[in-house]
Amino acid sequence: MNKFFTLRDGYGTVQALIPEDVRHRLNLDGLAFESILRVSGTVQPRPEGQANRTLPTGEIEVHVSGLEVLNEAKKRLPINVKEHNRAKENLRLEHRYIDLRNRDLQHNLRLRSQVIMKMRECMINEYGFVEVETPTLFRRTPGGAQEFVVPSRKAGHFYSLVQSPQQFKQMLMVGAIDRYFQIARCYRDESTRPDRQPEFTQLDIELSFTDREKVIELIENVLLQSWPYADNPIRGPFPRMTLAEAMERFGSDKPDTRFDYELQNFTEMLGTQLTVPAGVRQQDFRAYGIVVRAKEAQNLPTWLKKSLEEIAKKSNFCKFTQSKVTPDWSSGPIVRLLGKEAAETLSVRLSLQPDDLLLLGWGKQTYVQNMLGRIRLAAYEALEERDLVPKRQTHAHNFLWVVDFPMFSENEETGQIESTHHPFTAPHPEDAAALSTLNPGDNIYNIRSLAYDLVWNGVEIGGGSIRIHNSQLQRTVLKDVLKIEHAHLHHLLDALESGAPPHGGFAIGLDRYVALLCNAASIREVIAFPKSLDGKDPLSKAPVPISEEEKRIYHIRVVE
């Protein structure tokens, strides 16, 4: 009606009123939404009773005296800027320059900038760190994640994009840059997920003459000082838990400690009754269970049973059953699985009542722990959806350090020995002797490392370790234990022989951490120009073919 309009920028909105005495010279009829205006006028209180308490600017309005159209938008934009019923994500990513105008993305990116700025100030002003940029173009480093390969003009020679600045930051320690950090770009050619992108950002840290306690204290203080919610501050020190305890109680190396339903170990009670799955040694056999009490179990959705069975099917070397307790449960069908005596013992020990639900898994220790950890989460999510249990608070302060990881793990698919974190992780001082005097038949998986992960509400937001600074020990780990061809690491091994101080570090996954701070459904909501789920860029349509001339320059031939 050419009487008022809403003016919006990156900081909010305000209602602009066109007074009657200027309407004849300011005509907005036909002006497209999202056009760019310059408005002058006076800020005045809204008339009595017309204030909008839900808006920060709801008590005032701008009485327009002058208006200039700086750039008119086209009439039909591909997506609209609105909070509800937004376009499908792929369309929003294709036209991200418009989507960025939405209030939540404005908030997320501005909060991200604020948090990173506070981190920088803390690292430099409080702790005297030096910000150093390290190369993106590097050489291929086999054994880790799949890397992006970059062709060069020298036939048959390629760069790789760095997975992380790990080797560079260790060499900076050798070079006496004793306190290094950077907001580092990292690249991995892996499948994209809601919390993973082919390119991502870390707060990357390394320092010399340190130990695990000093690194943990540093990271806690950086998070405390960069925490953006002054009305809900976090406090340290954060609690700690060994990996063994986390797996035993929660079935996860990143346990969500906001709710109970912890795993219970039934191995001693049921170990002789249950059939050991094929390929599992007796010493590795364990049985665990979770009990959902009748009050909640009676209201669980019928589809949950199938969902839990699907989780179990994907777990190797273990079995799973779910049993609803009846008045004659200890003499019913469960007897075929456990035997009458074990069933009665279990019923008494757990105080089982009719309509309780027992979720029982057994098999190879780490496999069955992982399986029941996933089942624990799925069951609680189903209870949450039906308001049968307290909802988990997104900003609950459940920070947790997970420590004492094994130095080496068994690859679940190949059975090969591999580093639990990475090959540069130092052994725990109490286990260092066992590593140097390793004999055939010794259980290498019992050797602990000085690695540590930081978990927030069931999500790993960062990890680090004290590094191996002795060149000979590093060669032993690579050559004798992991059996990795290490010619490509000669520069790092040579550096360690040049007088390397003891050192260690940490990296916080900023995309994931900021997504949690913003309560975003995916890290794409805190990245200005993210890739889609298939790793493509809907905006520019990358990756795209290149010309025959470019192929010739870089000695590339396409093989279909």
Side-chain angles (χ1 to χ4, degrees), residues 148-290:
F148 287 101
V149 172
V150 181
S152 75
R153 293 183 181 231
K154 186 174 181 181
H157 288 67
F158 299 84
Y159 299 104
S160 282
L161 299 183
V162 290
Q163 297 178 39
S164 79
Q166 181 63 44
Q167 295 180 51
F168 290 117
K169 65 187 194 177
Q170 288 194 247
M171 289 185 286
L172 285 169
M173 297 303 103
V174 178
I177 306 294
D178 62 323
R179 294 193 161 206
Y180 141 92
F181 87 100
Q182 77 172 308
I183 307 301
R185 298 292 282 166
C186 308
Y187 305 87
R188 291 178 190 170
D189 189 9
E190 299 177 329
S191 58
T192 311
R193 297 195 308 229
D195 64 346
R196 180 183 288 166
Q197 287 268 300
E199 49 188 337
F200 56 96
T201 309
Q202 294 178 342
L203 169 64
D204 199 50
I205 295 168
E206 196 81 5
L207 61 160
S208 297
F209 307 108
T210 192
D211 57 32
R212 185 175 74 181
E213 299 308 308
K214 290 174 186 163
V215 175
I216 285 176
E217 183 184 356
L218 167 71
I219 299 303
E220 287 178 352
N221 284 332
V222 169
L223 291 184
L224 264 59
Q225 292 193 40
S226 62
W227 182 256
Y229 303 115
D231 58 341
N232 184 28
I234 56 175
R235 292 178 176 85
F238 302 153
R240 299 188 196 183
M241 189 179 293
T242 66
L243 176 69
E245 183 186 351
M247 296 301 295
E248 184 74 9
R249 292 174 55 191
F250 301 98
S252 174
D253 59 0
K254 42 183 180 294
D256 190 338
T257 57
R258 289 174 294 176
F259 66 99
D260 294 325
Y261 291 87
E262 293 184 20
L263 279 57
Q264 300 185 56
N265 192 327
F266 299 149
T267 310
E268 195 176 320
M269 210 185 310
L270 307 177
T272 57
Q273 305 299 321
L274 293 163
T275 304
V276 179
V280 179
R281 298 180 303 173
Q282 189 64 48
Q283 62 261 41
D284 295 332
F285 178 80
R286 298 289 186 279
Y288 295 91
I290 299 170

Side-chain angles (χ1 to χ4, degrees), residues 451-518:
Y452 32 84
D453 282 356
L454 182 57
V455 177
W456 182 26
N457 295 342
V459 179
E460 180 198 329
I461 60 169
S465 67
I466 302 303
R467 322 302 186 188
I468 297 171
H469 66 277
N470 177 280
S471 179
Q472 189 51 52
L473 178 58
Q474 186 65 79
R475 289 177 198 274
T476 298
V477 168
L478 293 167
K479 181 181 171 215
D480 300 335
V481 180
L482 299 174
K483 298 182 170 34
I484 294 175
E485 171 52 51
H486 51 276
H488 62 284
L489 293 170
H490 71 89
H491 51 276
L492 180 60
L493 295 168
D494 287 352
L496 296 181
E497 288 179 334
S498 305
H503 58 280
F506 198 78
I508 296 173
L510 286 175
D511 307 299
R512 195 177 292 178
Y513 177 55
V514 175
L516 291 172
L517 285 173
C518 296

